[in-house]
Structure formats: C-alpha cells, structure tokens
C-alpha cells in the first residue's frame, strides 16, 4: 500500500503521440515521441505486437510524466505510457474526448 501523499507525487498527464519508430535493438518495442504541451519526450514502449505506428500517431494518451528516465535496450525512455494488459494483449489508455495536451490527470 502507498499513502495518499506518495500517490500525489505521481504526475499523470495527457500527451499526444506525434511520432512512432521501431526500436533499433528490439522487435517488440516502439520509440514513441509525445507532445506534453510545454515539452516533448520520448517513451520506449512494449506495444509493437499490438499496435501499428499508424494506429498510434495522433492519439491522446495518459502518461506518467515524472518517472525517472531509464535506458531500455540502448534508448532513453523519459516517461511511461499507461496501458492495461491481459491474455488478449495490451491496450493503451486513451482519452475519449478532446482535452488540452499537458492537462493533469487526477
């Protein structure tokens, strides 16, 4: 269990996917460039088996913005794309209504 104060430290934001490329060193990973309104970041995401690049570009998605950067198979990931998974695969969390990029998710 985490406390409410610990949870409040997590910064969830709305981002727009602006570019998707194949990870150069992994068949199951995409390198996803996102727009957060005030900056752009890249995310290494293990969603290549479930999505095409064309399906992702332009989507509004939920991200964890203040995660410590990590190098994944040689490429830096600067945030985390939120997704659910089960035996049928992975489903990224998207927004159903237009919301300003960079909006805080509460």
């Amino acid at each position: 269990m985490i406390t409410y104060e610990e949870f409040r430290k997590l910064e969830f934001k709305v981002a727009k996917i602006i570019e998707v490329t194949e990870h150069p060193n992994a068949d199951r990973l995409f390198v996803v460039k996102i727009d957060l309104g005030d900056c752009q970041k890249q995310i290494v995401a293990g969603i290549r088996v479930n999505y095409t690049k064309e399906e992702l570009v332009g989507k509004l998605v939920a991200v964890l913005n203040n995660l410590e950067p990590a190098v994944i198979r040689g490429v830096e990931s600067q945030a985390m794309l939120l997704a659910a998974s089960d035996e049928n695969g992975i489903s990224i969390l998207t927004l159903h209504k237009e919301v300003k990029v960079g909006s805080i998710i509460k």
Side-chain angles (χ1 to χ4, degrees):
M1 294 262 197
I2 66 169
T3 66
Y4 182 71
E5 287 305 312
E6 290 170 318
F7 176 78
R8 285 181 41 136
K9 293 177 185 177
L10 302 175
E11 184 180 275
F12 297 103
K13 284 193 169 186
V14 174
K16 185 173 190 173
I17 296 177
I18 55 176
E19 183 181 321
V20 180
T21 58
E22 290 90 3
H23 191 292
N25 302 317
D27 293 340
R28 294 178 176 249
L29 301 176
F30 275 137
V31 179
V32 180
K33 189 174 287 186
I34 58 168
D35 179 13
L36 287 155
D38 60 347
C39 69
Q40 293 181 358
K41 291 186 175 185
Q42 72 178 14
I43 297 173
V44 177
I47 58 174
R48 194 163 155 188
V49 173
N50 296 93
Y51 289 93
T52 65
K53 294 186 284 188
E54 295 76 20
E55 286 177 288
L56 295 170
V57 173
K59 285 209 181 293
L60 290 177
V61 295
V63 300
L64 176 55
N65 185 49
N66 63 339
L67 187 65
E68 183 176 325
V71 176
I72 301 172
R73 307 276 310 249
V75 176
E76 185 176 56
S77 186
Q78 302 162 333
M80 180 181 285
L81 182 64
L82 300 183
S85 64
D86 65 12
E87 63 278 354
N88 296 314
I90 296 171
S91 178
I92 60 172
L93 299 182
T94 60
L95 282 80
H96 296 283
K97 290 186 178 183
E98 198 70 25
V99 178
K100 182 179 170 187
V101 171
S103 294
I104 298 293
I105 298 172
K106 306 179 195 184

